[in-house]
Each structure stands twice: as C-alpha cells, then as structure tokens.
Amino acid sequence: MWGWPLLIMLLGTHLWMTIVLRFPQRHILKAIKLSVTKDEYSTGDVSQFSALATALAATIGTGNIVGVATAVSLGGPGAVLWTWLTGVFGISTKYAEGLLAVKYRVRTKDGTMAGGPMYALEYGMKAKWLGILFAIFTSIAAFGIGCMVQANSISTLVQSSFNVSVHITGLIIAALTAVVIIGGIKSIASVCDKLVPFMAGFYILGCIIILTMTASTLPATVALIFKSAFTGHAAVGGFAGSTIMMAMRYGVARGLFSNESGLGSAPIVAAAAKTRNSVRQAMVSSTGTFWDTVIICAMTGLVLVNTGVWQQGLKGAELSREAFATIPVVGPLVLTVGLLTFVFSTILGWSYYGEKATEYLFGKASNMPYRIAWVIAVYIGSVFPLDLVWNMADLMNGMMALPNLISILGLSGVIVAETRKYLWEDNLDAVDEAEIPMIDR
C-alpha cells in the first residue's frame, strides 16, 4: 500500500497544491502568528491554537524519532533532505485539508462541530459512499497507529529503561488516557494546549544542545546530507550503501508518514476550531506540518547523522538510542522524555479522530462506548506484541489517504476560490456569513 503509487500520489498532490495555491509556504510566519491569536469573531468548539495543538499531539510521535532513524538507516544521510522537502511541500496539502474541513463542517444536534474528509466528500463532492469508506478506515487505523502501537512503544521503552512491568505501565497509561478523553474534545484540547508546547520545546532545545556540543562537525554533516540526497552513498562501516532512489524513497515515505499531510486525520480536529473563515484555520493547520517535519524531523536527522552512528549498520529505534547515547546525560534524557510525551500525546489526539469517524458512521450514541474501548485498547497494546497491528495500521492509513486525496483534488477549485477571496484579496479578517448546516446526528 505504501509503495511508489501512493507516494507519487501524495507527493504529486503536495506539488500540485503548492502550484495552484501560489506557494502558500511563503505565508508561514503570518500563519504562525494567527495560530497564537485569539479569534474574537469566530464560531467553533475550541480555539485555533487548541485545534492545532491537538493535531500536533496526534502528528508528533514515534515517526519524528524512530521514523527518521529508519529513513537514515535504509536510505543514508540523503534521506534527511528528502524528508525535509516532503514537509516543505506538504504544508500546501495540510492547508487545503484544513480549508475543506471548515468549509464543509456541520453542527450536530448537541451544538458541537463535526467535519473532516468524510463531510467534504459527502457535502462537497456528493460522494457519501467515499465518506463512509474514509470513516471506516479511520476508525480502524486509529486503534492501530494511534493507540495500541503507541502504548506498546511506551511500555517497552519504560521496561527496557527502568525495568518496570508492561502491565503496570499499561494500567497507568490507560488510567491517564481515561481521565483525559472521557471529557471529549475540550478536555483533550486543554491537555494538549499544555503538553504539546512543552514536549516540542523540550525536544527541540535538547537537539540544539546536542548539536551545539558537536558543532565542529555540523557543516560537514549538512554537506554530506545534501550530497548524499543527489548521489546516494557508498557502503561505509556497517552501512550497506544506498542509491539516490533509496534516499528519496525512504526519506519521502517517512516524511509523509510523520507529518500526515494528505492522510486526512488533522482536518477532523481543524473543523472544531473557532475561526471566522476557512482560510484562517487552513493557514493555522499548515503550521502543523512546518513544526512536525520542517523543524522536528530535521533536528532529529541532523543529530542522527552528526553523531556518525548511522555507519554502524543499526536500524530504527536502535539507531536513535545509540545516536542520542553518544552525548552523556543530555542525549538519553532528550530521547526518553521525547518519546514518552510524543507517544502519549498521539494516543490523545488519535482518540478524537477515531471517535469522530465512528460518530459519522453510528451517531453520537457511539461516543462513550468508543472512549471505553479506546482505554481498554491502550492496556492491550501495552502488554502484547503488535507486529500484525503495525501492518494493519499501515494498510488502513494508506486506505485513508486515497478518498482524502480525491476530495482535495476534486475540490481544488473550491480551495483556490476561498483562498482568493480571503488571502489573495487581503480579506483575512472577514467573517464568513454562511450558515453552518445542522444535522440530526
């Protein structure tokens, strides 16, 4: 599923949206400013920053550390540049997703907002069957990549680092998850508001300290990353060598998997944001990919390559552990705290995605049973090996992307029209007067 056809479709969408939207990446500083500005004349459930924090909570995860390490171990140092470029162009697709989420969101019978690719497909493209498929894939994928796999990552890390039983860790994570998610989106957003800035800031600062301590080799590392991206890299030490295609393949794949641009997950929470028009939230949403891949993945990649341990033939988590361990005290602390907070936040963010997908299929009555099932799945994921779950999660994530990309490409005319109305004609402060439809769901 995650072979060349899907990668080309995702990367092609990134490039196409970048062109038709006239490089929205150039507005990233304005978008960051909007993300921390309270919108006084807005409609929604949570602030724009809370929506962004919840989306980042789900997006920033093991892919930012272990995923980048996998790309480097298989594709060489050049994979770091391809991961970074995927993030740069992915900003456009994340913008498009956020715009459609607000444009086609609805109000449910209890007054809360609902939106995402399923609603864009149903109301924008009149293809409800595709919306149903997206919701099915999302509800299944959430239990895999967003829940059980993440819980397993925490329990195994704590066991290997502190010799604590996976059963104890599982119970603690399940209890903490229950406390947060039982209260719904406002409770999740409230926790993510505080957790995401801390965890991202701590990890970025830690990486900067590590890179400062090894600053003498940093220029050569940057040169190596650029050179390897376009020439491949010969075998050295325990590293098996790579071609340009390998560097691109693994760099692009891990970048797409990390920032989730085009996957269709982040728009689900973007629809809950308090915003006066679709473009303001689209710009805020786009900063998620900037922080996730352009900044955090790049920092991880520089640390991994600059330490030189990528030449030892290590893979994935082993490479991450060895690279950060080369810097006494600071390195292991950054890695441990980073993984623990990244993973727990992903469990919270994805719980909302899966719940809204299930709500689309079965109505509000499914919300509480879903939350209870989620908490149980957290414990199960903590104590059982999950190779099959990993494979199912990867498959369902790929299946999610297909209907979402269809909605983005099929409604690209709407995206451009909204962008022209509010951004290109300098009307970002204008309030969208269109009435949000009510549904009996």
Side-chain angles (χ1 to χ4, degrees):
M1 189 67 208
W2 282 92
W4 276 110
L6 181 58
L7 295 181
I8 290 171
M9 190 174 179
L10 279 162
L11 200 55
T13 302
H14 292 353
L15 293 170
W16 172 247
M17 296 314 300
T18 295
I19 293 168
V20 299
L21 293 172
R22 303 178 186 175
F23 291 82
Q25 293 88 342
R26 59 198 169 97
H27 299 292
I28 195 66
L29 292 180
K30 184 185 293 185
I32 292 172
K33 183 180 178 181
L34 280 177
S35 71
V36 294
T37 303
K38 189 174 181 179
D39 198 338
E40 300 289 349
Y41 308 97
S42 58
T43 303
D45 298 333
V46 296
S47 70
Q48 288 183 308
F49 180 78
S50 292
L52 173 64
T54 304
L56 277 172
T59 306
I60 299 175
T62 54
N64 295 81
I65 300 176
V66 179
V68 176
T70 301
V72 172
S73 63
L74 296 174
V80 175
L81 180 63
W82 291 111
T83 298
W84 186 80
L85 287 173
T86 300
V88 171
F89 289 106
I91 288 171
S92 301
T93 300
K94 190 63 73 79
Y95 169 95
E97 291 177 316
L99 190 153
L100 292 178
V102 175
K103 177 71 175 174
Y104 294 106
R105 66 181 175 178
V106 299
R107 195 186 299 275
T108 59
K109 57 187 177 183
D110 67 354
T112 56
M113 296 294 181
M118 51 277 204
Y119 293 93
L121 287 162
E122 179 177 351
Y123 296 107
M125 293 194 65
K126 312 301 179 187
K128 185 174 181 178
W129 66 276
L130 276 175
I132 291 172
L133 284 179
F134 176 85
I136 291 171
F137 298 147
T138 302
S139 59
I140 297 173
F143 274 102
I145 197 65
C147 181
M148 298 174 74
V149 164
Q150 303 298 331
N152 190 262
S153 298
I154 293 182
S155 64
T156 53
L157 174 66
V158 171
Q159 185 182 47
S160 61
S161 302
F162 309 107
N163 199 30
V164 175
S165 167
V166 292
H167 293 278
I168 294 174
T169 305
L171 288 171
I172 293 172
I173 305 168
L176 290 173
T177 302
V179 168
V180 178
I181 73 169
I182 295 301
I185 180 58
K186 291 186 178 179
S187 175
I188 294 170
S190 176
V191 172
C192 291
D193 269 359
K194 302 170 184 65
L195 179 59
V196 169
F198 163 75
M199 72 181 195
F202 179 86
Y203 185 74
I204 291 169
L205 179 62
C207 288
I208 290 173
I209 291 172
I210 293 171
L211 292 172
T212 302
M213 293 171 70
T214 56
S216 60
T217 57
L218 197 53
T221 292
V222 173
L224 176 64
I225 287 171
F226 274 84
K227 180 182 177 183
S228 298
F230 299 104
T231 62
H233 203 287
V236 54
F239 178 65
S242 70
T243 62
I244 304 175
M245 292 301 288
M246 286 176 69
M248 185 186 296
R249 155 86 172 85
Y250 292 108
V252 170
R254 291 299 97 188
L256 292 171
F257 198 74
S258 173
N259 62 52
E260 297 180 11
S261 292
L263 201 62
S265 49
I268 296 174
V269 72
K274 293 178 180 177
T275 184
R276 67 183 75 184
N277 60 61
S278 59
V279 171
R280 286 174 75 95
Q281 180 54 37
M283 293 179 70
V284 172
S285 292
S286 72
T287 64
T289 298
F290 172 78
W291 292 119
D292 176 87
T293 309
V294 178
I295 301 297
I296 295 178
C297 283
M299 287 286 186
T300 302
L302 285 171
V303 169
L304 292 174
V305 179
N306 202 43
T307 56
V309 297
W310 63 274
Q311 303 176 53
Q312 297 177 14
L314 301 173
K315 294 182 179 179
E318 292 178 352
L319 176 58
S320 299
R321 196 176 298 114
E322 188 68 22
F324 282 86
T326 59
I327 311 298
V329 184
V330 176
L333 179 65
V334 170
L335 180 64
T336 301
V337 175
L339 275 174
L340 286 175
T341 53
F342 285 9
V343 168
F344 181 64
S345 70
T346 298
I347 292 173
L348 299 182
W350 268 92
S351 72
Y352 181 72
Y353 296 162
E355 178 183 309
K356 298 306 282 188
T358 307
E359 179 185 306
Y360 179 81
L361 296 169
F362 304 110
K364 289 280 184 182
S366 65
N367 286 358
M368 192 54 69
Y370 186 90
R371 293 170 193 173
I372 294 170
W374 188 268
V375 172
I376 294 170
V378 168
Y379 175 75
I380 293 172
S382 300
V383 300
F384 289 110
L386 294 170
D387 289 345
L388 178 61
V389 175
W390 261 113
N391 291 333
M392 284 297 295
D394 277 351
L395 175 63
M396 289 298 108
N397 275 349
M399 298 295 282
M400 280 174 64
L402 292 176
N404 180 56
L405 293 175
I406 290 171
S407 73
I408 293 172
L409 297 173
L411 296 169
S412 57
V414 174
I415 297 167
V416 170
E418 290 282 294
T419 303
R420 178 178 291 109
K421 178 180 178 181
Y422 293 109
L423 182 59
W424 298 345
E425 296 178 1
D426 200 23
N427 290 317
L428 270 180
D429 291 334
V431 178
D432 187 352
E433 301 291 348
E435 187 176 346
I436 299 174
M438 290 280 294
I439 62 168
D440 185 25
R441 185 178 290 164

